Amino acid sequence: MIQEITMRYNQMKAALETLSAYLYAHPELGNQEFESAKRHTDFLEAHNFLVEKAFLDIPTAFKATYDSGLPGPTIAFLSEYDALPQIGHGCGHNMIGTISSGAAIIASEMMGHLGGKIIVFGTPAEENDGAKVDMVDRGVFETVDIALMAHPSNETAVAVECLAMEALQFEYIGRAAHAASCPEKGINALDGVIGLFNHVNALREHMVDSARVHGIISEGGVAANIVPERAVAQFYVRAKTKTYLQELIGKVKNCAQASALATGTQLTISNYEKSYDNMVPSPLLNQVITEHFKSVGIEDIKGARASMGSADAGNVSHVCPTAHAMFAIGDETLAGHTMAFAEATQTPRALEMMEKVTVAYALTALNLLKDKSLVESIKAEHAANLTQA
Ligand SMILES: [Zn+2]
Ligand SMILES: [Zn+2]
């Protein structure tokens, strides 16, 4: 089977590598990935997938379906193709959609009489406004049995933990005044923000190691001789479970309110981006993928990796078993969200991994379509893990 999949990969190899290279050279930010989405849907349409563009009225989302017409599991591949400001594809999302489309097409061509459906979901704006959150909220994954995606990294690990995350904005409003001639008439909004940072720094000592709180001052006044009337801080709060996340958010909000009280500023707290869920583990699914990774010659597969980041695939994992494997395109010194990482997606090593992961994921999809009891076991395990997540 690997031979036939590899043969089919080779027939598409140039097109897939061109797709990834095009995205690398023409990065588009979240929710502006019009050309990136079009290149994916053109490719899927040319390979007999039925494409719904602007899926759910999200302009750069899509749903591409191959329906065998026979009963069977629905296997979804998740595509991402958004880039980062100034550093382009520093998270390597130019490879994610490419692998998902390649694996989905190969599996669709080989599924024969197995039955079931293969769907590729184009999911925009993972970096800043994850469309998967809307898709989950609107029930898109209720009819999906298993969701698969793979993300480039500096090491290969199939079992990946992502943290639950909430994006909180703190807006402090004070009163402007001449900072030298009549400071007593002013209320300093920047002091509200600085107090927030100091309280959060004190809180940090008492957080569990697996949590993260980190922020920036996005507005801190307009001139040094004016008491800042308005100051804004944006934070990400992250934790391993949704329960601890809520506890931590409560404490961070208290820090913000304490600072508002101390400075006499007016505080407004809001969410500036969507919240992401933690990843619900699916060890059995990960085991299946690990076997297929090994069978295509992927070496040095690490054990469970605790990524301290967050991903909107986490939300999908709260609905159906979801795989978010990481695959190495460089050595351990390679850091994500850098230009060096974007460049690494174009190296021979990355292209070799793109082929191997695509072949392994096509194998995984065919394995799942064929073995319906395996799908049921994976779903049963997921349901049990969901109650603890
Ligand atoms: Zn990223
Ligand atoms: Zn990413």
Side-chain angles (χ1 to χ4, degrees):
M1 177 130 54
I2 293 178
Q3 273 179 336
E4 187 183 342
I5 294 173
T6 305
M7 184 203 77
R8 289 177 187 274
Y9 183 88
N10 284 330
Q11 287 168 355
M12 292 192 293
K13 185 182 172 102
L16 290 171
E17 291 182 359
T18 302
L19 179 60
S20 169
Y22 176 86
L23 264 64
Y24 164 75
H26 303 88
E28 295 176 299
L29 296 180
N31 291 324
Q32 297 166 33
E33 319 96 319
F34 290 98
E35 190 59 30
S36 305
K38 184 180 181 301
R39 299 243 164 183
H40 279 91
T41 53
D42 284 353
F43 192 63
L44 286 157
E45 257 171 352
H47 288 87
N48 304 315
F49 276 70
L50 188 70
V51 172
E52 294 170 56
K53 290 174 187 164
F55 181 54
L56 300 180
D57 291 325
I58 303 168
T60 56
F62 66 83
K63 178 183 181 184
T65 307
Y66 182 87
D67 188 347
S68 69
L70 300 167
T74 296
I75 308 299
F77 283 95
L78 307 176
S79 254
E80 294 171 8
Y81 32 78
D82 60 319
L84 291 157
Q86 293 173 22
I87 52 174
H89 276 291
C91 207
H93 294 184
N94 52 318
M95 298 184 78
I96 295 178
T98 313
I99 288 169
S100 284
S101 290
I105 289 167
I106 294 170
S108 75
E109 289 170 351
M110 291 176 64
M111 66 197 282
H113 61 279
L114 290 177
K117 275 185 210 170
I118 295 178
I119 304 175
V120 184
F121 288 105
T123 66
E126 196 281 330
E127 294 290 359
N128 59 332
D129 197 31
K132 295 185 198 73
V133 179
D134 284 335
M135 293 183 174
V136 166
D137 290 347
R138 292 167 72 177
V140 166
F141 295 97
E142 304 289 340
T143 53
V144 168
D145 288 290
I146 289 173
L148 304 170
M149 65 171 283
H151 195 299
S153 178
N154 59 359
E155 60 180 23
T156 300
V158 177
V160 175
E161 287 177 358
C162 295
L163 301 182
M165 177 271 282
E166 194 156 318
L168 290 176
Q169 174 166 295
F170 302 92
E171 179 195 34
Y172 289 86
I173 301 295
R175 190 190 306 131
H178 195 296
S181 62
C182 56
E184 71 283 359
K185 293 192 172 111
I187 297 173
N188 193 328
L190 180 59
D191 281 341
V193 166
I194 291 170
L196 163 63
F197 272 82
N198 288 334
H199 291 313
V200 166
N201 283 339
L203 169 65
R204 204 167 263 133
E205 184 182 348
H206 305 288
M207 291 170 8
V208 300
D209 286 345
S210 56
R212 293 283 188 272
V213 181
H214 49 104
I216 59 163
I217 299 176
S218 50
E219 289 178 48
V222 289
N225 60 3
I226 308 170
V227 172
E229 184 167 33
R230 177 186 151 88
V232 181
Q234 293 185 330
F235 273 80
Y236 288 113
V237 184
R238 307 182 199 247
K240 244 180 175 176
T241 63
K242 286 163 92 169
T243 312
Y244 187 67
L245 181 69
Q246 288 314 314
E247 185 183 325
L248 197 53
I249 284 169
K251 289 177 179 175
V252 172
K253 285 183 175 175
N254 283 344
C255 292
Q257 270 146 8
S259 185
L261 184 64
T263 54
T265 47
Q266 297 295 317
L267 169 66
T268 307
I269 303 174
S270 58
N271 288 98
Y272 66 97
E273 284 172 5
K274 295 194 182 88
S275 303
Y276 289 0
D277 289 342
N278 56 309
M279 192 71 71
V280 179
S282 282
L284 188 52
L285 175 59
N286 292 339
Q287 197 182 313
V288 173
I289 293 169
T290 302
E291 279 166 26
H292 294 310
F293 269 24
K294 285 181 180 164
S295 72
V296 300
I298 295 175
E299 289 163 357
D300 198 15
I301 302 170
K302 300 273 193 300
R305 173 177 152 140
S307 157
M308 301 310 286
S310 307
D312 63 357
N315 298 53
V316 180
S317 80
H318 281 254
V319 184
C320 63
T322 303
H324 190 281
M326 301 292 212
F327 58 95
I329 58 167
D331 61 28
E332 279 175 23
T333 58
L334 181 65
H337 285 202
T338 60
M339 281 184 191
F341 195 95
E343 286 161 17
T345 68
Q346 300 304 298
T347 57
R349 178 174 176 176
L351 297 179
E352 190 190 326
M353 281 304 272
M354 190 163 96
E355 171 173 344
K356 285 180 174 168
V357 175
T358 305
V359 172
Y361 264 30
L363 263 173
T364 303
L366 289 164
N367 187 167
L368 296 169
L369 290 170
K370 194 172 179 182
D371 191 345
K372 284 154 186 97
S373 72
L374 175 62
V375 172
E376 289 314 313
S377 303
I378 290 169
K379 288 172 74 171
E381 183 192 60
H382 173 260
N385 287 341
L386 197 51
T387 58
Q388 296 158 23

PDB file of all heavy atoms in Angstrom, residues 20-30 32-36 81-90 94 342:
ATOM      1  N   SER A  20       3.125  24.809  -1.672  1.00  0.00           N
ATOM      2  CA  SER A  20       3.782  25.235  -0.431  1.00  0.00           C
ATOM      3  C   SER A  20       4.738  26.412  -0.698  1.00  0.00           C
ATOM      4  O   SER A  20       4.786  27.371   0.075  1.00  0.00           O
ATOM      5  CB  SER A  20       4.546  24.047   0.172  1.00  0.00           C
ATOM      6  OG  SER A  20       5.374  24.480   1.209  1.00  0.00           O
ATOM      7  N   ALA A  21       5.464  26.332  -1.802  1.00  0.00           N
ATOM      8  CA  ALA A  21       6.424  27.393  -2.136  1.00  0.00           C
ATOM      9  C   ALA A  21       5.705  28.699  -2.484  1.00  0.00           C
ATOM     10  O   ALA A  21       6.162  29.788  -2.134  1.00  0.00           O
ATOM     11  CB  ALA A  21       7.303  26.953  -3.304  1.00  0.00           C
ATOM     12  N   TYR A  22       4.554  28.574  -3.172  1.00  0.00           N
ATOM     13  CA  TYR A  22       3.785  29.785  -3.513  1.00  0.00           C
ATOM     14  C   TYR A  22       3.338  30.493  -2.236  1.00  0.00           C
ATOM     15  O   TYR A  22       3.475  31.709  -2.087  1.00  0.00           O
ATOM     16  CB  TYR A  22       2.562  29.443  -4.379  1.00  0.00           C
ATOM     17  CG  TYR A  22       1.728  30.674  -4.639  1.00  0.00           C
ATOM     18  CD1 TYR A  22       2.016  31.539  -5.691  1.00  0.00           C
ATOM     19  CD2 TYR A  22       0.689  31.021  -3.766  1.00  0.00           C
ATOM     20  CE1 TYR A  22       1.302  32.702  -5.883  1.00  0.00           C
ATOM     21  CE2 TYR A  22      -0.030  32.189  -3.946  1.00  0.00           C
ATOM     22  CZ  TYR A  22       0.274  33.030  -5.007  1.00  0.00           C
ATOM     23  OH  TYR A  22      -0.428  34.190  -5.171  1.00  0.00           O
ATOM     24  N   LEU A  23       2.781  29.716  -1.287  1.00  0.00           N
ATOM     25  CA  LEU A  23       2.314  30.321  -0.031  1.00  0.00           C
ATOM     26  C   LEU A  23       3.468  30.965   0.730  1.00  0.00           C
ATOM     27  O   LEU A  23       3.339  32.050   1.296  1.00  0.00           O
ATOM     28  CB  LEU A  23       1.622  29.271   0.853  1.00  0.00           C
ATOM     29  CG  LEU A  23       0.091  29.228   0.729  1.00  0.00           C
ATOM     30  CD1 LEU A  23      -0.359  28.823  -0.655  1.00  0.00           C
ATOM     31  CD2 LEU A  23      -0.511  28.312   1.782  1.00  0.00           C
ATOM     32  N   TYR A  24       4.612  30.261   0.742  1.00  0.00           N
ATOM     33  CA  TYR A  24       5.808  30.808   1.409  1.00  0.00           C
ATOM     34  C   TYR A  24       6.174  32.174   0.808  1.00  0.00           C
ATOM     35  O   TYR A  24       6.480  33.121   1.541  1.00  0.00           O
ATOM     36  CB  TYR A  24       6.971  29.823   1.241  1.00  0.00           C
ATOM     37  CG  TYR A  24       8.328  30.401   1.543  1.00  0.00           C
ATOM     38  CD1 TYR A  24       8.732  30.628   2.856  1.00  0.00           C
ATOM     39  CD2 TYR A  24       9.204  30.735   0.505  1.00  0.00           C
ATOM     40  CE1 TYR A  24       9.977  31.179   3.135  1.00  0.00           C
ATOM     41  CE2 TYR A  24      10.448  31.283   0.776  1.00  0.00           C
ATOM     42  CZ  TYR A  24      10.828  31.498   2.090  1.00  0.00           C
ATOM     43  OH  TYR A  24      12.052  32.052   2.360  1.00  0.00           O
ATOM     44  N   ALA A  25       6.103  32.259  -0.506  1.00  0.00           N
ATOM     45  CA  ALA A  25       6.514  33.497  -1.190  1.00  0.00           C
ATOM     46  C   ALA A  25       5.431  34.571  -1.159  1.00  0.00           C
ATOM     47  O   ALA A  25       5.699  35.750  -1.373  1.00  0.00           O
ATOM     48  CB  ALA A  25       6.907  33.183  -2.631  1.00  0.00           C
ATOM     49  N   HIS A  26       4.184  34.166  -0.908  1.00  0.00           N
ATOM     50  CA  HIS A  26       3.060  35.121  -0.893  1.00  0.00           C
ATOM     51  C   HIS A  26       2.238  34.942   0.376  1.00  0.00           C
ATOM     52  O   HIS A  26       1.069  34.553   0.316  1.00  0.00           O
ATOM     53  CB  HIS A  26       2.159  34.914  -2.115  1.00  0.00           C
ATOM     54  CG  HIS A  26       2.882  35.029  -3.420  1.00  0.00           C
ATOM     55  ND1 HIS A  26       3.504  33.959  -4.026  1.00  0.00           N
ATOM     56  CD2 HIS A  26       3.109  36.093  -4.221  1.00  0.00           C
ATOM     57  CE1 HIS A  26       4.074  34.366  -5.143  1.00  0.00           C
ATOM     58  NE2 HIS A  26       3.853  35.654  -5.298  1.00  0.00           N
ATOM     59  N   PRO A  27       2.846  35.213   1.543  1.00  0.00           N
ATOM     60  CA  PRO A  27       2.116  34.980   2.799  1.00  0.00           C
ATOM     61  C   PRO A  27       0.932  35.937   2.952  1.00  0.00           C
ATOM     62  O   PRO A  27       1.039  37.113   2.619  1.00  0.00           O
ATOM     63  CB  PRO A  27       3.181  35.257   3.877  1.00  0.00           C
ATOM     64  CG  PRO A  27       4.181  36.143   3.230  1.00  0.00           C
ATOM     65  CD  PRO A  27       4.192  35.792   1.776  1.00  0.00           C
ATOM     66  N   GLU A  28      -0.169  35.399   3.425  1.00  0.00           N
ATOM     67  CA  GLU A  28      -1.367  36.217   3.661  1.00  0.00           C
ATOM     68  C   GLU A  28      -1.775  36.070   5.133  1.00  0.00           C
ATOM     69  O   GLU A  28      -1.788  34.958   5.677  1.00  0.00           O
ATOM     70  CB  GLU A  28      -2.517  35.762   2.761  1.00  0.00           C
ATOM     71  CG  GLU A  28      -2.231  35.990   1.279  1.00  0.00           C
ATOM     72  CD  GLU A  28      -3.332  35.449   0.375  1.00  0.00           C
ATOM     73  OE1 GLU A  28      -3.578  34.223   0.413  1.00  0.00           O
ATOM     74  OE2 GLU A  28      -3.944  36.242  -0.353  1.00  0.00           O
ATOM     75  N   LEU A  29      -2.123  37.191   5.750  1.00  0.00           N
ATOM     76  CA  LEU A  29      -2.509  37.173   7.165  1.00  0.00           C
ATOM     77  C   LEU A  29      -3.884  36.531   7.351  1.00  0.00           C
ATOM     78  O   LEU A  29      -4.656  36.383   6.402  1.00  0.00           O
ATOM     79  CB  LEU A  29      -2.545  38.610   7.708  1.00  0.00           C
ATOM     80  CG  LEU A  29      -1.208  39.354   7.717  1.00  0.00           C
ATOM     81  CD1 LEU A  29      -1.401  40.761   8.268  1.00  0.00           C
ATOM     82  CD2 LEU A  29      -0.172  38.598   8.539  1.00  0.00           C
ATOM     83  N   GLY A  30      -4.166  36.176   8.595  1.00  0.00           N
ATOM     84  CA  GLY A  30      -5.438  35.548   8.947  1.00  0.00           C
ATOM     85  C   GLY A  30      -6.641  36.313   8.415  1.00  0.00           C
ATOM     86  O   GLY A  30      -6.692  37.536   8.502  1.00  0.00           O
ATOM     87  N   GLN A  32      -7.340  36.985   5.543  1.00  0.00           N
ATOM     88  CA  GLN A  32      -7.070  37.621   4.248  1.00  0.00           C
ATOM     89  C   GLN A  32      -6.454  36.609   3.292  1.00  0.00           C
ATOM     90  O   GLN A  32      -5.897  36.980   2.258  1.00  0.00           O
ATOM     91  CB  GLN A  32      -6.096  38.793   4.443  1.00  0.00           C
ATOM     92  CG  GLN A  32      -6.662  39.902   5.318  1.00  0.00           C
ATOM     93  CD  GLN A  32      -5.578  40.870   5.771  1.00  0.00           C
ATOM     94  OE1 GLN A  32      -4.611  41.132   5.058  1.00  0.00           O
ATOM     95  NE2 GLN A  32      -5.732  41.400   6.972  1.00  0.00           N
ATOM     96  N   GLU A  33      -6.584  35.327   3.621  1.00  0.00           N
ATOM     97  CA  GLU A  33      -5.881  34.306   2.835  1.00  0.00           C
ATOM     98  C   GLU A  33      -6.683  33.922   1.589  1.00  0.00           C
ATOM     99  O   GLU A  33      -6.943  32.737   1.353  1.00  0.00           O
ATOM    100  CB  GLU A  33      -5.638  33.034   3.665  1.00  0.00           C
ATOM    101  CG  GLU A  33      -5.217  33.213   5.098  1.00  0.00           C
ATOM    102  CD  GLU A  33      -6.391  33.135   6.055  1.00  0.00           C
ATOM    103  OE1 GLU A  33      -7.459  33.687   5.731  1.00  0.00           O
ATOM    104  OE2 GLU A  33      -6.258  32.518   7.112  1.00  0.00           O
ATOM    105  N   PHE A  34      -7.093  34.916   0.798  1.00  0.00           N
ATOM    106  CA  PHE A  34      -7.965  34.646  -0.358  1.00  0.00           C
ATOM    107  C   PHE A  34      -7.252  33.797  -1.405  1.00  0.00           C
ATOM    108  O   PHE A  34      -7.782  32.802  -1.874  1.00  0.00           O
ATOM    109  CB  PHE A  34      -8.458  35.969  -0.964  1.00  0.00           C
ATOM    110  CG  PHE A  34      -9.442  36.672  -0.081  1.00  0.00           C
ATOM    111  CD1 PHE A  34      -9.042  37.689   0.758  1.00  0.00           C
ATOM    112  CD2 PHE A  34     -10.776  36.285  -0.060  1.00  0.00           C
ATOM    113  CE1 PHE A  34      -9.946  38.322   1.602  1.00  0.00           C
ATOM    114  CE2 PHE A  34     -11.693  36.906   0.773  1.00  0.00           C
ATOM    115  CZ  PHE A  34     -11.275  37.930   1.605  1.00  0.00           C
ATOM    116  N   GLU A  35      -6.044  34.219  -1.796  1.00  0.00           N
ATOM    117  CA  GLU A  35      -5.334  33.497  -2.847  1.00  0.00           C
ATOM    118  C   GLU A  35      -4.879  32.126  -2.328  1.00  0.00           C
ATOM    119  O   GLU A  35      -4.931  31.132  -3.058  1.00  0.00           O
ATOM    120  CB  GLU A  35      -4.135  34.339  -3.333  1.00  0.00           C
ATOM    121  CG  GLU A  35      -3.449  33.819  -4.574  1.00  0.00           C
ATOM    122  CD  GLU A  35      -4.366  33.716  -5.804  1.00  0.00           C
ATOM    123  OE1 GLU A  35      -5.333  34.514  -5.923  1.00  0.00           O
ATOM    124  OE2 GLU A  35      -4.126  32.805  -6.632  1.00  0.00           O
ATOM    125  N   SER A  36      -4.467  32.088  -1.069  1.00  0.00           N
ATOM    126  CA  SER A  36      -4.029  30.809  -0.484  1.00  0.00           C
ATOM    127  C   SER A  36      -5.183  29.812  -0.476  1.00  0.00           C
ATOM    128  O   SER A  36      -5.008  28.638  -0.835  1.00  0.00           O
ATOM    129  CB  SER A  36      -3.519  31.026   0.947  1.00  0.00           C
ATOM    130  OG  SER A  36      -2.502  32.000   0.970  1.00  0.00           O
ATOM    131  N   TYR A  81      -3.547  27.957   6.495  1.00  0.00           N
ATOM    132  CA  TYR A  81      -2.716  28.603   5.476  1.00  0.00           C
ATOM    133  C   TYR A  81      -2.499  30.090   5.775  1.00  0.00           C
ATOM    134  O   TYR A  81      -2.171  30.864   4.884  1.00  0.00           O
ATOM    135  CB  TYR A  81      -3.335  28.401   4.070  1.00  0.00           C
ATOM    136  CG  TYR A  81      -4.860  28.336   4.075  1.00  0.00           C
ATOM    137  CD1 TYR A  81      -5.618  29.493   4.186  1.00  0.00           C
ATOM    138  CD2 TYR A  81      -5.513  27.112   3.996  1.00  0.00           C
ATOM    139  CE1 TYR A  81      -7.002  29.426   4.220  1.00  0.00           C
ATOM    140  CE2 TYR A  81      -6.909  27.028   4.042  1.00  0.00           C
ATOM    141  CZ  TYR A  81      -7.646  28.197   4.153  1.00  0.00           C
ATOM    142  OH  TYR A  81      -9.014  28.125   4.202  1.00  0.00           O
ATOM    143  N   ASP A  82      -2.689  30.466   7.055  1.00  0.00           N
ATOM    144  CA  ASP A  82      -2.457  31.875   7.413  1.00  0.00           C
ATOM    145  C   ASP A  82      -1.005  32.092   7.834  1.00  0.00           C
ATOM    146  O   ASP A  82      -0.344  31.189   8.328  1.00  0.00           O
ATOM    147  CB  ASP A  82      -3.399  32.320   8.540  1.00  0.00           C
ATOM    148  CG  ASP A  82      -3.222  31.500   9.823  1.00  0.00           C
ATOM    149  OD1 ASP A  82      -3.059  30.264   9.710  1.00  0.00           O
ATOM    150  OD2 ASP A  82      -3.233  32.082  10.918  1.00  0.00           O
ATOM    151  N   ALA A  83      -0.547  33.324   7.634  1.00  0.00           N
ATOM    152  CA  ALA A  83       0.835  33.690   7.955  1.00  0.00           C
ATOM    153  C   ALA A  83       0.849  34.694   9.102  1.00  0.00           C
ATOM    154  O   ALA A  83      -0.195  35.110   9.606  1.00  0.00           O
ATOM    155  CB  ALA A  83       1.505  34.272   6.716  1.00  0.00           C
ATOM    156  N   LEU A  84       2.067  35.064   9.510  1.00  0.00           N
ATOM    157  CA  LEU A  84       2.269  35.993  10.625  1.00  0.00           C
ATOM    158  C   LEU A  84       2.703  37.362  10.102  1.00  0.00           C
ATOM    159  O   LEU A  84       3.395  37.442   9.085  1.00  0.00           O
ATOM    160  CB  LEU A  84       3.364  35.446  11.545  1.00  0.00           C
ATOM    161  CG  LEU A  84       2.989  34.178  12.323  1.00  0.00           C
ATOM    162  CD1 LEU A  84       4.239  33.413  12.729  1.00  0.00           C
ATOM    163  CD2 LEU A  84       2.154  34.536  13.539  1.00  0.00           C
ATOM    164  N   PRO A  85       2.341  38.440  10.815  1.00  0.00           N
ATOM    165  CA  PRO A  85       2.779  39.767  10.378  1.00  0.00           C
ATOM    166  C   PRO A  85       4.304  39.837  10.330  1.00  0.00           C
ATOM    167  O   PRO A  85       4.977  39.352  11.237  1.00  0.00           O
ATOM    168  CB  PRO A  85       2.241  40.707  11.471  1.00  0.00           C
ATOM    169  CG  PRO A  85       1.267  39.920  12.263  1.00  0.00           C
ATOM    170  CD  PRO A  85       1.567  38.467  12.062  1.00  0.00           C
ATOM    171  N   GLN A  86       4.824  40.386   9.287  1.00  0.00           N
ATOM    172  CA  GLN A  86       6.255  40.656   9.079  1.00  0.00           C
ATOM    173  C   GLN A  86       7.147  39.420   8.889  1.00  0.00           C
ATOM    174  O   GLN A  86       8.170  39.519   8.239  1.00  0.00           O
ATOM    175  CB  GLN A  86       6.819  41.511  10.228  1.00  0.00           C
ATOM    176  CG  GLN A  86       6.210  42.899  10.205  1.00  0.00           C
ATOM    177  CD  GLN A  86       6.597  43.744  11.404  1.00  0.00           C
ATOM    178  OE1 GLN A  86       7.593  43.511  12.055  1.00  0.00           O
ATOM    179  NE2 GLN A  86       5.783  44.749  11.670  1.00  0.00           N
ATOM    180  N   ILE A  87       6.782  38.264   9.436  1.00  0.00           N
ATOM    181  CA  ILE A  87       7.681  37.117   9.256  1.00  0.00           C
ATOM    182  C   ILE A  87       7.072  36.031   8.375  1.00  0.00           C
ATOM    183  O   ILE A  87       7.624  34.939   8.269  1.00  0.00           O
ATOM    184  CB  ILE A  87       8.158  36.522  10.595  1.00  0.00           C
ATOM    185  CG1 ILE A  87       6.992  36.229  11.505  1.00  0.00           C
ATOM    186  CG2 ILE A  87       9.158  37.410  11.283  1.00  0.00           C
ATOM    187  CD1 ILE A  87       7.419  35.515  12.762  1.00  0.00           C
ATOM    188  N   GLY A  88       5.980  36.334   7.722  1.00  0.00           N
ATOM    189  CA  GLY A  88       5.437  35.383   6.748  1.00  0.00           C
ATOM    190  C   GLY A  88       5.083  34.053   7.380  1.00  0.00           C
ATOM    191  O   GLY A  88       4.499  34.001   8.463  1.00  0.00           O
ATOM    192  N   HIS A  89       5.495  32.960   6.709  1.00  0.00           N
ATOM    193  CA  HIS A  89       5.101  31.635   7.193  1.00  0.00           C
ATOM    194  C   HIS A  89       6.066  31.109   8.260  1.00  0.00           C
ATOM    195  O   HIS A  89       6.547  29.978   8.191  1.00  0.00           O
ATOM    196  CB  HIS A  89       4.899  30.664   6.028  1.00  0.00           C
ATOM    197  CG  HIS A  89       3.531  30.790   5.429  1.00  0.00           C
ATOM    198  ND1 HIS A  89       2.393  30.403   6.112  1.00  0.00           N
ATOM    199  CD2 HIS A  89       3.103  31.328   4.263  1.00  0.00           C
ATOM    200  CE1 HIS A  89       1.319  30.660   5.376  1.00  0.00           C
ATOM    201  NE2 HIS A  89       1.721  31.235   4.248  1.00  0.00           N
ATOM    202  N   GLY A  90       6.287  31.934   9.277  1.00  0.00           N
ATOM    203  CA  GLY A  90       7.153  31.568  10.395  1.00  0.00           C
ATOM    204  C   GLY A  90       6.582  30.472  11.275  1.00  0.00           C
ATOM    205  O   GLY A  90       7.258  29.979  12.170  1.00  0.00           O
ATOM    206  N   ASN A  94       2.143  27.077   5.551  1.00  0.00           N
ATOM    207  CA  ASN A  94       2.182  26.766   4.114  1.00  0.00           C
ATOM    208  C   ASN A  94       2.315  25.259   3.876  1.00  0.00           C
ATOM    209  O   ASN A  94       1.975  24.761   2.803  1.00  0.00           O
ATOM    210  CB  ASN A  94       3.335  27.516   3.428  1.00  0.00           C
ATOM    211  CG  ASN A  94       4.683  27.319   4.106  1.00  0.00           C
ATOM    212  OD1 ASN A  94       4.775  27.333   5.332  1.00  0.00           O
ATOM    213  ND2 ASN A  94       5.722  27.139   3.328  1.00  0.00           N
ATOM    214  N   ALA A 342      10.329  29.992   8.611  1.00  0.00           N
ATOM    215  CA  ALA A 342       9.675  30.087   7.294  1.00  0.00           C
ATOM    216  C   ALA A 342      10.606  29.553   6.207  1.00  0.00           C
ATOM    217  O   ALA A 342      10.195  28.760   5.343  1.00  0.00           O
ATOM    218  CB  ALA A 342       9.273  31.530   7.011  1.00  0.00           C
TER     219      ALA A 342
END
